[in-house]
Coordinates of all heavy atoms in Angstrom, one line a residue:
M27 N 15.0 5.3 -16.9 CA 14.3 6.3 -17.7 C 13.4 7.2 -16.8 O 12.7 6.7 -16.0 CB 13.4 5.5 -18.7 CG 12.5 6.5 -19.5 SD 11.4 5.6 -20.7 CE 12.5 5.2 -22.0
P28 N 13.6 8.5 -17.0 CA 12.8 9.4 -16.1 C 11.3 9.3 -16.5 O 10.9 9.1 -17.6 CB 13.3 10.8 -16.5 CG 14.6 10.6 -17.3 CD 14.5 9.2 -17.8
T29 N 10.5 9.3 -15.4 CA 9.0 9.1 -15.6 C 8.4 10.4 -16.3 O 7.3 10.2 -16.8 CB 8.3 8.9 -14.3 OG1 8.6 9.9 -13.4 CG2 8.7 7.5 -13.7
D30 N 9.1 11.5 -16.3 CA 8.5 12.7 -17.0 C 8.5 12.6 -18.5 O 7.9 13.4 -19.2 CB 9.1 14.0 -16.5 CG 10.6 14.0 -16.8 OD1 11.2 13.0 -17.0 OD2 11.2 15.2 -16.7
T31 N 9.2 11.7 -19.1 CA 9.2 11.5 -20.5 C 8.3 10.4 -20.9 O 8.2 10.1 -22.1 CB 10.7 11.2 -21.0 OG1 11.1 9.9 -20.4 CG2 11.6 12.3 -20.7
L32 N 7.6 9.7 -20.0 CA 6.7 8.6 -20.3 C 5.3 9.1 -20.6 O 4.9 10.2 -20.1 CB 6.7 7.6 -19.1 CG 8.0 6.9 -18.7 CD1 7.7 6.1 -17.5 CD2 8.5 6.1 -19.9
S33 N 4.6 8.3 -21.3 CA 3.1 8.6 -21.5 C 2.5 8.5 -20.1 O 3.0 7.9 -19.2 CB 2.5 7.7 -22.5 OG 2.4 6.4 -21.9
P34 N 1.3 9.2 -19.9 CA 0.6 9.1 -18.7 C 0.3 7.6 -18.2 O 0.4 7.3 -17.1 CB -0.7 9.8 -18.9 CG -0.4 10.8 -20.0 CD 0.6 10.1 -20.8
E35 N 0.0 6.8 -19.2 CA -0.3 5.4 -18.9 C 1.0 4.6 -18.4 O 0.9 3.9 -17.5 CB -0.9 4.6 -20.1 CG -2.2 5.2 -20.6 CD -2.1 6.4 -21.5 OE1 -1.0 6.7 -22.0 OE2 -3.1 7.2 -21.6
D36 N 2.1 4.9 -19.1 CA 3.3 4.3 -18.7 C 3.8 4.8 -17.4 O 4.3 4.0 -16.6 CB 4.4 4.5 -19.8 CG 4.1 3.7 -21.1 OD1 3.4 2.7 -21.0 OD2 4.7 4.1 -22.1
A37 N 3.7 6.1 -17.1 CA 4.0 6.6 -15.8 C 3.2 6.0 -14.7 O 3.7 5.7 -13.6 CB 3.9 8.1 -15.8
L38 N 1.9 5.8 -15.0 CA 1.1 5.1 -14.0 C 1.5 3.7 -13.7 O 1.5 3.2 -12.6 CB -0.4 5.2 -14.4 CG -1.4 4.8 -13.4 CD1 -1.3 5.6 -12.1 CD2 -2.8 4.9 -14.0
A39 N 1.9 3.0 -14.8 CA 2.3 1.6 -14.6 C 3.6 1.6 -13.8 O 3.8 0.7 -13.0 CB 2.6 1.0 -16.0
V40 N 4.5 2.5 -14.1 CA 5.8 2.6 -13.3 C 5.5 2.9 -11.8 O 6.0 2.3 -10.9 CB 6.7 3.6 -13.9 CG1 7.9 3.9 -12.9 CG2 7.3 3.2 -15.2
R41 N 4.5 3.8 -11.6 CA 4.2 4.1 -10.2 C 3.6 2.9 -9.5 O 3.9 2.6 -8.3 CB 3.1 5.2 -10.2 CG 2.7 5.7 -8.8 CD 1.8 6.8 -8.8 NE 1.5 7.2 -7.4 CZ 0.4 7.9 -7.1 NH1 -0.5 8.2 -8.0 NH2 0.2 8.2 -5.8
R42 N 2.7 2.1 -10.1 CA 2.2 0.9 -9.6 C 3.3 -0.1 -9.2 O 3.3 -0.7 -8.1 CB 1.2 0.3 -10.5 CG -0.1 1.1 -10.5 CD -1.2 0.3 -11.3 NE -2.5 0.9 -11.1 CZ -3.2 1.6 -12.0 NH1 -2.7 1.7 -13.2 NH2 -4.4 2.1 -11.7
K43 N 4.2 -0.3 -10.1 CA 5.3 -1.2 -9.9 C 6.2 -0.8 -8.7 O 6.6 -1.6 -7.9 CB 6.2 -1.4 -11.1 CG 5.6 -2.1 -12.2 CD 6.5 -2.2 -13.5 CE 5.7 -2.9 -14.6 NZ 6.5 -3.0 -15.8
R44 N 6.4 0.5 -8.6 CA 7.2 1.0 -7.4 C 6.4 0.8 -6.1 O 7.0 0.5 -5.1 CB 7.5 2.5 -7.6 CG 8.5 2.7 -8.6 CD 8.9 4.2 -8.8 NE 10.0 4.4 -9.8 CZ 10.2 5.5 -10.4 NH1 9.5 6.6 -10.2 NH2 11.2 5.5 -11.3
L45 N 5.1 1.0 -6.1 CA 4.3 0.8 -4.9 C 4.3 -0.6 -4.5 O 4.4 -1.0 -3.3 CB 2.9 1.3 -5.1 CG 2.8 2.9 -5.2 CD1 1.4 3.3 -5.5 CD2 3.2 3.5 -3.9
I46 N 4.2 -1.5 -5.5 CA 4.3 -3.0 -5.2 C 5.6 -3.3 -4.6 O 5.7 -4.1 -3.6 CB 3.9 -3.8 -6.4 CG1 2.4 -3.6 -6.8 CG2 4.2 -5.3 -6.2 CD1 2.0 -4.1 -8.1
F47 N 6.7 -2.8 -5.2 CA 8.1 -3.1 -4.7 C 8.2 -2.5 -3.3 O 8.7 -3.3 -2.4 CB 9.1 -2.4 -5.6 CG 10.5 -2.6 -5.1 CD1 11.2 -3.7 -5.5 CD2 11.1 -1.7 -4.3 CE1 12.5 -3.9 -5.0 CE2 12.4 -1.9 -3.8 CZ 13.1 -3.0 -4.2
R48 N 7.7 -1.3 -3.0 CA 7.8 -0.8 -1.7 C 7.0 -1.6 -0.7 O 7.4 -1.7 0.5 CB 7.3 0.7 -1.6 CG 8.2 1.7 -2.2 CD 7.7 3.1 -2.1 NE 7.5 3.4 -0.7 CZ 6.8 4.5 -0.3 NH1 6.1 5.2 -1.2 NH2 6.6 4.7 1.0
S49 N 5.9 -2.1 -1.1 CA 5.1 -3.0 -0.2 C 5.8 -4.2 0.2 O 5.6 -4.7 1.3 CB 3.8 -3.3 -1.0 OG 3.0 -2.2 -1.3
W50 N 6.6 -4.8 -0.7 CA 7.4 -6.0 -0.4 C 8.6 -5.7 0.4 O 9.3 -6.7 0.9 CB 7.8 -6.8 -1.7 CG 6.7 -7.7 -2.2 CD1 5.9 -7.5 -3.3 CD2 6.2 -8.9 -1.6 NE1 5.1 -8.5 -3.4 CE2 5.2 -9.4 -2.4 CE3 6.6 -9.6 -0.4 CZ2 4.5 -10.6 -2.1 CZ3 5.9 -10.8 -0.2 CH2 4.9 -11.3 -1.0
H51 N 9.0 -4.5 0.6 CA 10.3 -4.1 1.2 C 10.0 -3.1 2.3 O 10.6 -2.0 2.3 CB 11.2 -3.6 0.2 CG 11.6 -4.6 -0.8 ND1 10.9 -4.8 -2.0 CD2 12.6 -5.5 -0.8 CE1 11.4 -5.8 -2.7 NE2 12.5 -6.2 -2.0
R52 N 9.1 -3.4 3.3 CA 8.8 -2.5 4.3 C 9.8 -2.5 5.5 O 10.0 -1.4 6.1 CB 7.4 -3.0 5.0 CG 6.3 -3.0 4.0 CD 5.7 -1.7 3.8 NE 5.3 -1.1 5.0 CZ 5.1 0.2 5.2 NH1 5.2 1.0 4.2 NH2 4.8 0.7 6.4
G53 N 10.4 -3.6 5.8 CA 11.3 -3.7 6.9 C 11.0 -4.7 7.9 O 11.8 -5.5 8.3
M54 N 9.7 -4.8 8.3 CA 9.2 -5.9 9.1 C 8.8 -7.1 8.2 O 8.0 -6.8 7.3 CB 8.0 -5.5 10.0 CG 8.4 -4.7 11.2 SD 6.9 -4.2 12.1 CE 6.0 -5.7 12.5
K55 N 9.3 -8.3 8.5 CA 8.9 -9.4 7.6 C 7.4 -9.6 7.5 O 6.9 -9.9 6.4 CB 9.6 -10.7 8.1 CG 9.5 -11.8 7.2 CD 10.0 -11.4 5.8 CE 11.2 -12.1 5.4 NZ 11.7 -11.8 4.0
E56 N 6.7 -9.4 8.6 CA 5.3 -9.6 8.7 C 4.6 -8.6 7.8 O 3.6 -8.9 7.0 CB 4.7 -9.5 10.1 CG 5.2 -10.5 11.1 CD 6.5 -10.1 11.7 OE1 7.2 -9.2 11.3 OE2 6.9 -10.9 12.7
M57 N 5.1 -7.3 7.8 CA 4.5 -6.3 7.0 C 4.9 -6.5 5.5 O 4.0 -6.2 4.6 CB 5.0 -4.9 7.4 CG 4.4 -4.5 8.8 SD 2.6 -4.3 8.6 CE 2.5 -2.8 7.6
D58 N 6.1 -7.0 5.2 CA 6.4 -7.3 3.8 C 5.4 -8.3 3.2 O 4.9 -8.1 2.1 CB 7.8 -7.9 3.8 CG 8.9 -7.0 4.1 OD1 8.7 -5.8 4.3 OD2 10.1 -7.5 4.3
L59 N 5.1 -9.3 4.0 CA 4.2 -10.4 3.5 C 2.8 -9.9 3.3 O 2.2 -10.1 2.3 CB 4.3 -11.6 4.4 CG 3.5 -12.8 4.0 CD1 3.9 -13.3 2.7 CD2 3.6 -13.9 5.1
L60 N 2.4 -9.2 4.3 CA 1.0 -8.6 4.3 C 0.8 -7.6 3.2 O -0.1 -7.7 2.4 CB 0.6 -8.1 5.7 CG -0.8 -7.5 5.8 CD1 -1.8 -8.6 5.6 CD2 -0.9 -6.8 7.2
M61 N 1.6 -6.6 3.2 CA 1.5 -5.5 2.3 C 1.9 -5.9 0.9 O 1.3 -5.4 -0.1 CB 2.4 -4.3 2.8 CG 2.0 -3.7 4.1 SD 0.3 -3.0 4.2 CE 0.6 -1.4 3.5
G62 N 2.9 -6.8 0.7 CA 3.3 -7.2 -0.6 C 2.2 -8.0 -1.3 O 1.9 -7.7 -2.5
T63 N 1.6 -9.0 -0.6 CA 0.5 -9.7 -1.2 C -0.7 -8.9 -1.5 O -1.4 -9.0 -2.5 CB 0.2 -10.9 -0.4 OG1 -0.2 -10.5 0.9 CG2 1.3 -11.9 -0.3
F64 N -1.0 -8.0 -0.6 CA -2.1 -7.0 -0.8 C -1.9 -6.2 -2.0 O -2.7 -6.0 -2.9 CB -2.3 -6.1 0.5 CG -3.3 -5.1 0.3 CD1 -4.7 -5.4 0.5 CD2 -3.0 -3.8 -0.1 CE1 -5.6 -4.4 0.3 CE2 -4.0 -2.8 -0.3 CZ -5.3 -3.1 -0.1
A65 N -0.7 -5.6 -2.1 CA -0.4 -4.7 -3.3 C -0.4 -5.5 -4.6 O -1.0 -4.9 -5.6 CB 1.0 -4.1 -3.1
E66 N 0.1 -6.7 -4.6 CA 0.1 -7.4 -5.9 C -1.4 -7.7 -6.3 O -1.7 -7.7 -7.5 CB 0.8 -8.8 -5.7 CG 2.3 -8.6 -5.8 CD 3.0 -9.9 -5.7 OE1 2.4 -11.0 -5.5 OE2 4.3 -9.9 -5.9
K67 N -2.3 -7.9 -5.3 CA -3.7 -8.2 -5.6 C -4.5 -6.9 -6.0 O -5.3 -7.0 -6.9 CB -4.3 -8.9 -4.4 CG -5.8 -9.3 -4.6 CD -6.3 -10.0 -3.5 CE -7.7 -10.4 -3.7 NZ -8.3 -11.2 -2.6
H68 N -4.2 -5.8 -5.3 CA -5.1 -4.7 -5.4 C -4.5 -3.5 -6.2 O -5.3 -2.8 -6.9 CB -5.6 -4.2 -4.1 CG -6.4 -5.2 -3.4 ND1 -7.7 -5.4 -3.7 CD2 -6.1 -6.1 -2.4 CE1 -8.2 -6.4 -2.9 NE2 -7.3 -6.8 -2.1
V69 N -3.2 -3.2 -6.1 CA -2.7 -2.0 -6.7 C -2.9 -1.9 -8.2 O -3.2 -0.8 -8.7 CB -1.2 -1.8 -6.3 CG1 -0.4 -0.8 -7.1 CG2 -1.1 -1.4 -4.8
P70 N -2.8 -3.0 -8.9 CA -3.0 -2.9 -10.4 C -4.4 -2.3 -10.8 O -4.5 -1.7 -11.8 CB -2.8 -4.3 -10.9 CG -1.9 -4.9 -9.9 CD -2.3 -4.4 -8.6
A71 N -5.4 -2.5 -9.9 CA -6.7 -2.0 -10.3 C -7.0 -0.6 -9.5 O -8.1 -0.1 -9.8 CB -7.7 -3.0 -9.9
F72 N -6.2 -0.2 -8.7 CA -6.4 1.1 -8.0 C -6.5 2.3 -8.9 O -5.7 2.4 -9.9 CB -5.3 1.4 -6.9 CG -5.5 0.7 -5.6 CD1 -4.6 0.8 -4.6 CD2 -6.6 -0.1 -5.3 CE1 -4.7 0.2 -3.4 CE2 -6.8 -0.7 -4.1 CZ -5.8 -0.6 -3.1
T73 N -7.4 3.2 -8.6 CA -7.4 4.5 -9.3 C -6.2 5.4 -8.8 O -5.6 5.0 -7.8 CB -8.7 5.2 -9.0 OG1 -8.8 5.6 -7.5 CG2 -10.0 4.4 -9.3
V74 N -6.0 6.5 -9.5 CA -5.0 7.4 -9.0 C -5.2 7.8 -7.6 O -4.3 7.9 -6.8 CB -4.8 8.6 -10.0 CG1 -3.9 9.6 -9.5 CG2 -4.4 8.1 -11.4
E75 N -6.5 8.1 -7.3 CA -6.8 8.6 -5.9 C -6.5 7.5 -4.9 O -5.9 7.8 -3.8 CB -8.2 9.0 -5.8 CG -8.6 10.3 -6.6 CD -8.7 10.0 -8.1 OE1 -9.0 8.8 -8.5 OE2 -8.6 11.0 -8.9
Q76 N -6.8 6.3 -5.2 CA -6.5 5.2 -4.3 C -5.0 4.9 -4.2 O -4.5 4.7 -3.1 CB -7.2 3.9 -4.8 CG -8.7 3.9 -4.6 CD -9.3 2.7 -5.3 OE1 -9.1 2.4 -6.5 NE2 -10.2 2.0 -4.6
L77 N -4.3 5.1 -5.3 CA -2.8 5.0 -5.2 C -2.3 6.1 -4.3 O -1.3 5.8 -3.5 CB -2.2 5.1 -6.6 CG -2.5 4.0 -7.6 CD1 -2.0 4.3 -8.9 CD2 -1.9 2.7 -7.1
D78 N -2.8 7.3 -4.4 CA -2.4 8.4 -3.5 C -2.5 8.0 -2.0 O -1.6 8.2 -1.2 CB -3.1 9.7 -3.7 CG -2.8 10.3 -5.1 OD1 -1.7 10.0 -5.7 OD2 -3.6 11.1 -5.5
R79 N -3.7 7.5 -1.7 CA -4.0 7.1 -0.3 C -3.1 5.9 0.1 O -2.7 5.9 1.3 CB -5.5 6.8 -0.1 CG -6.3 8.1 -0.3 CD -7.8 7.9 0.1 NE -8.5 6.9 -0.8 CZ -9.2 7.2 -1.9 NH1 -9.3 8.5 -2.2 NH2 -9.8 6.3 -2.5
Y80 N -2.9 4.9 -0.8 CA -2.1 3.8 -0.4 C -0.6 4.2 -0.2 O 0.0 3.8 0.7 CB -2.2 2.7 -1.5 CG -1.4 1.5 -1.1 CD1 -1.8 0.7 -0.1 CD2 -0.3 1.1 -1.8 CE1 -1.2 -0.5 0.3 CE2 0.4 0.0 -1.5 CZ 0.0 -0.8 -0.5 OH 0.7 -2.0 -0.1
E81 N -0.2 5.1 -1.1 CA 1.2 5.6 -0.9 C 1.4 6.3 0.4 O 2.4 6.2 1.0 CB 1.5 6.5 -2.1 CG 3.0 6.9 -2.2 CD 3.4 7.6 -3.5 OE1 2.5 8.1 -4.2 OE2 4.6 7.5 -3.9
H82 N 0.4 7.1 0.8 CA 0.5 7.7 2.1 C 0.6 6.7 3.2 O 1.4 6.9 4.2 CB -0.8 8.6 2.4 CG -0.9 9.1 3.7 ND1 0.0 10.1 4.2 CD2 -1.8 8.9 4.7 CE1 -0.4 10.3 5.5 NE2 -1.4 9.6 5.8
L83 N -0.1 5.6 3.1 CA -0.1 4.5 4.1 C 1.3 3.9 4.1 O 1.9 3.7 5.2 CB -1.1 3.5 3.8 CG -1.2 2.3 4.8 CD1 -1.6 2.8 6.2 CD2 -2.1 1.2 4.3
L84 N 2.0 3.8 3.0 CA 3.3 3.2 2.9 C 4.4 4.1 3.6 O 5.4 3.6 4.0 CB 3.7 2.9 1.5 CG 3.0 1.8 0.8 CD1 3.5 1.6 -0.6 CD2 3.2 0.5 1.5
D85 N 4.0 5.4 3.7 CA 5.0 6.3 4.3 C 5.0 6.3 5.8 O 5.8 6.9 6.5 CB 4.7 7.8 3.8 CG 5.0 8.0 2.4 OD1 5.9 7.3 1.9 OD2 4.4 8.9 1.8
L86 N 4.0 5.5 6.4 CA 3.8 5.5 7.8 C 4.7 4.4 8.4 O 5.1 3.5 7.7 CB 2.4 5.3 8.2 CG 1.5 6.4 7.7 CD1 0.0 6.1 8.0 CD2 1.8 7.8 8.2
N87 N 4.9 4.4 9.7 CA 5.7 3.5 10.4 C 5.1 2.1 10.5 O 3.9 1.9 10.8 CB 6.0 3.9 11.9 CG 6.9 5.2 11.9 OD1 7.8 5.3 11.1 ND2 6.6 6.0 12.9
D88 N 5.9 1.0 10.2 CA 5.4 -0.3 10.3 C 4.7 -0.7 11.6 O 3.6 -1.3 11.5 CB 6.6 -1.3 10.0 CG 6.9 -1.5 8.6 OD1 6.1 -1.1 7.7 OD2 7.9 -2.2 8.3
P89 N 5.3 -0.5 12.7 CA 4.7 -0.9 14.0 C 3.3 -0.3 14.1 O 2.3 -1.0 14.6 CB 5.6 -0.5 15.1 CG 6.9 -0.4 14.4 CD 6.6 0.1 13.0
D90 N 3.1 0.9 13.7 CA 1.8 1.6 13.8 C 0.8 0.9 12.9 O -0.3 0.5 13.3 CB 1.9 3.1 13.5 CG 2.7 3.8 14.5 OD1 2.7 3.4 15.7 OD2 3.2 4.9 14.2
V91 N 1.2 0.8 11.6 CA 0.3 0.2 10.6 C -0.1 -1.3 11.0 O -1.2 -1.7 10.9 CB 0.9 0.2 9.2 CG1 0.0 -0.5 8.2 CG2 1.2 1.7 8.8
F92 N 0.9 -2.0 11.5 CA 0.7 -3.4 11.9 C -0.3 -3.5 13.0 O -1.3 -4.3 13.0 CB 2.0 -4.0 12.4 CG 2.0 -5.5 12.5 CD1 1.8 -6.3 11.4 CD2 2.2 -6.1 13.7 CE1 1.8 -7.7 11.6 CE2 2.2 -7.5 13.9 CZ 2.0 -8.3 12.8
D93 N -0.2 -2.6 14.0 CA -1.2 -2.6 15.1 C -2.6 -2.2 14.6 O -3.6 -2.8 15.1 CB -0.8 -1.6 16.2 CG 0.4 -2.1 17.1 OD1 0.6 -3.4 17.0 OD2 1.0 -1.3 17.8
W94 N -2.7 -1.3 13.7 CA -4.0 -0.9 13.1 C -4.6 -2.1 12.4 O -5.8 -2.3 12.5 CB -3.9 0.3 12.2 CG -3.3 1.5 12.8 CD1 -3.4 1.9 14.1 CD2 -2.5 2.5 12.2 NE1 -2.8 3.1 14.3 CE2 -2.2 3.5 13.1 CE3 -2.1 2.7 10.9 CZ2 -1.5 4.7 12.9 CZ3 -1.4 3.9 10.6 CH2 -1.1 4.8 11.6
L95 N -3.8 -2.8 11.6 CA -4.3 -3.9 10.8 C -4.8 -5.0 11.6 O -5.7 -5.8 11.3 CB -3.3 -4.3 9.7 CG -2.9 -3.3 8.7 CD1 -1.9 -3.8 7.7 CD2 -4.2 -2.9 7.9
L96 N -4.1 -5.2 12.7 CA -4.4 -6.3 13.6 C -5.5 -6.0 14.6 O -6.0 -6.8 15.4 CB -3.2 -6.8 14.4 CG -2.1 -7.5 13.6 CD1 -1.0 -8.0 14.5 CD2 -2.7 -8.7 12.8
G97 N -6.0 -4.7 14.6 CA -7.0 -4.2 15.5 C -6.5 -4.0 16.9 O -7.3 -3.8 17.8
R98 N -5.2 -3.9 17.1 CA -4.7 -3.6 18.4 C -4.8 -2.1 18.8 O -4.8 -1.8 20.0 CB -3.2 -3.9 18.4 CG -2.8 -5.4 18.3 CD -1.3 -5.6 18.4 NE -1.0 -6.9 18.0 CZ 0.2 -7.3 17.7 NH1 1.2 -6.4 17.7 NH2 0.5 -8.5 17.4
A99 N -5.0 -1.3 17.8 CA -5.1 0.1 18.0 C -6.0 0.7 16.9 O -6.0 0.2 15.7 CB -3.8 0.9 18.0
P100 N -6.9 1.7 17.2 CA -7.7 2.3 16.1 C -6.9 3.0 15.1 O -5.9 3.7 15.5 CB -8.7 3.2 16.9 CG -8.0 3.5 18.1 CD -7.1 2.3 18.4
F101 N -7.2 2.9 13.9 CA -6.4 3.7 12.9 C -6.9 5.2 12.9 O -8.0 5.5 13.2 CB -6.4 3.1 11.5 CG -7.8 3.0 10.9 CD1 -8.4 4.0 10.2 CD2 -8.5 1.8 11.0 CE1 -9.7 3.8 9.6 CE2 -9.7 1.6 10.4 CZ -10.3 2.6 9.7
P102 N -6.0 6.1 12.6 CA -6.3 7.5 12.7 C -7.4 7.9 11.7 O -7.6 7.3 10.6 CB -5.0 8.2 12.3 CG -3.9 7.2 12.4 CD -4.6 5.9 12.2
D103 N -8.2 8.9 12.0 CA -9.3 9.4 11.2 C -8.8 9.9 9.8 O -9.7 9.9 8.9 CB -10.1 10.5 11.9 CG -10.8 10.0 13.2 OD1 -11.1 8.8 13.2 OD2 -11.1 10.8 14.0
D104 N -7.6 10.3 9.7 CA -7.1 10.9 8.4 C -6.8 9.8 7.4 O -6.5 10.1 6.3 CB -6.0 11.8 8.6 CG -4.7 11.1 9.1 OD1 -4.8 10.1 9.8 OD2 -3.6 11.6 8.7
L105 N -6.8 8.5 7.8 CA -6.6 7.4 6.9 C -7.9 7.0 6.2 O -9.0 7.1 6.8 CB -5.9 6.2 7.6 CG -4.5 6.4 8.0 CD1 -4.0 5.1 8.7 CD2 -3.6 6.7 6.9
D106 N -7.8 6.6 5.0 CA -8.9 6.1 4.2 C -9.6 4.9 4.9 O -8.9 3.8 4.9 CB -8.5 5.9 2.8 CG -9.6 5.4 1.9 OD1 -10.8 5.2 2.4 OD2 -9.4 5.1 0.7
A107 N -10.8 5.0 5.4 CA -11.4 3.9 6.1 C -11.7 2.7 5.1 O -11.5 1.6 5.5 CB -12.8 4.4 6.7
D108 N -12.0 3.0 3.8 CA -12.3 1.9 2.9 C -11.0 1.2 2.6 O -11.0 -0.1 2.5 CB -12.8 2.5 1.6 CG -14.2 3.0 1.7 OD1 -14.9 2.6 2.7 OD2 -14.6 3.9 0.9
L109 N -9.9 1.9 2.5 CA -8.6 1.2 2.2 C -8.2 0.4 3.4 O -7.7 -0.8 3.3 CB -7.5 2.2 1.9 CG -6.0 1.7 1.8 CD1 -6.0 0.7 0.6 CD2 -5.1 2.9 1.6
M110 N -8.4 0.9 4.6 CA -8.0 0.1 5.8 C -8.9 -1.1 6.0 O -8.4 -2.1 6.4 CB -8.1 1.1 7.1 CG -7.1 2.2 7.1 SD -5.4 1.6 7.0 CE -5.2 0.7 8.5
A111 N -10.2 -1.0 5.7 CA -11.1 -2.1 5.7 C -10.7 -3.2 4.7 O -10.7 -4.4 5.0 CB -12.5 -1.7 5.5
L112 N -10.2 -2.8 3.6 CA -9.8 -3.7 2.5 C -8.5 -4.4 3.0 O -8.4 -5.6 2.9 CB -9.5 -3.0 1.2 CG -9.3 -3.8 0.0 CD1 -10.4 -4.7 -0.4 CD2 -9.0 -2.8 -1.2
L113 N -7.6 -3.7 3.6 CA -6.4 -4.3 4.1 C -6.7 -5.2 5.3 O -6.1 -6.3 5.4 CB -5.4 -3.1 4.6 CG -4.4 -2.7 3.7 CD1 -3.8 -1.4 4.0 CD2 -3.3 -3.8 3.6
Q114 N -7.6 -4.8 6.2 CA -7.9 -5.7 7.3 C -8.6 -7.0 6.9 O -8.4 -8.0 7.5 CB -8.8 -5.0 8.3 CG -8.0 -3.9 9.1 CD -8.9 -3.0 10.0 OE1 -10.1 -2.7 9.6 NE2 -8.4 -2.7 11.1
A115 N -9.3 -6.9 5.8 CA -10.0 -8.1 5.2 C -9.0 -9.0 4.4 O -9.3 -10.2 4.2 CB -11.1 -7.7 4.4
H116 N -7.9 -8.5 4.1 CA -6.9 -9.2 3.2 C -6.3 -10.4 4.0 O -5.9 -10.3 5.2 CB -5.8 -8.3 2.8 CG -4.7 -9.0 2.0 ND1 -5.0 -9.5 0.7 CD2 -3.4 -9.3 2.3 CE1 -3.8 -10.1 0.3 NE2 -2.9 -9.9 1.2
R117 N -6.2 -11.5 3.4 CA -5.7 -12.7 4.0 C -4.5 -13.2 3.1 O -4.7 -13.3 1.9 CB -6.7 -13.8 4.2 CG -7.8 -13.5 5.1 CD -7.4 -13.3 6.5 NE -8.4 -12.9 7.4 CZ -8.5 -11.7 7.9 NH1 -7.7 -10.8 7.6 NH2 -9.5 -11.4 8.7
V118 N -3.4 -13.6 3.7 CA -2.3 -14.1 3.0 C -2.5 -15.6 2.9 O -2.8 -16.3 3.9 CB -1.0 -13.8 3.8 CG1 0.2 -14.5 3.1 CG2 -0.8 -12.3 4.0
A119 N -2.5 -16.1 1.6 CA -2.8 -17.5 1.4 C -1.6 -18.3 1.7 O -0.5 -18.0 1.7 CB -3.2 -17.7 -0.1

């Protein structure tokens, strides 16, 4: 079903589900586990603005994001510092 025929609430729910799916299917197994569990926990409560910033992060290369999350490299200034701090604090159970 095209999302342009959905109510705004339903379109937002579909977007959240897609972001969670993308988080579980990154390419690197480590990133799948990290981003997938993070998305399941946080994406349902994210605002539209937070979803925009998270979606931008999902568009970036796995090795770069992995290094930023592990503290091997500083993350770029154009990324949301609050989102990155939340991700860095996330622990996979």
Side-chain angles (χ1 to χ4, degrees):
M27 173 182 282
T29 57
D30 60 343
T31 62
L32 298 175
S33 71
E35 296 83 19
D36 289 341
L38 188 56
V40 168
R41 183 178 183 201
R42 285 187 167 112
K43 287 179 184 179
R44 286 182 178 160
L45 290 174
I46 292 169
F47 179 86
R48 284 184 62 197
S49 298
W50 275 110
H51 298 87
R52 300 281 305 161
M54 280 178 58
K55 192 52 116 178
E56 297 87 348
M57 287 297 289
D58 293 349
L59 184 59
L60 180 65
M61 300 296 280
T63 57
F64 175 84
E66 283 184 354
K67 182 176 182 180
H68 295 285
V69 165
F72 276 178
T73 65
V74 171
E75 293 80 18
Q76 288 171 311
L77 292 174
D78 290 343
R79 292 189 296 267
Y80 184 68
E81 189 166 22
H82 170 67
L83 182 66
L84 289 179
D85 290 336
L86 301 175
N87 293 324
D88 274 353
D90 294 333
V91 177
F92 193 64
D93 284 345
W94 301 331
L95 294 179
L96 293 181
R98 294 180 188 165
F101 58 87
D103 292 336
D104 67 330
L105 290 179
D106 178 1
D108 292 338
L109 175 62
M110 293 305 291
L112 190 60
L113 262 163
Q114 288 174 322
H116 177 68
R117 298 292 177 256
V118 177

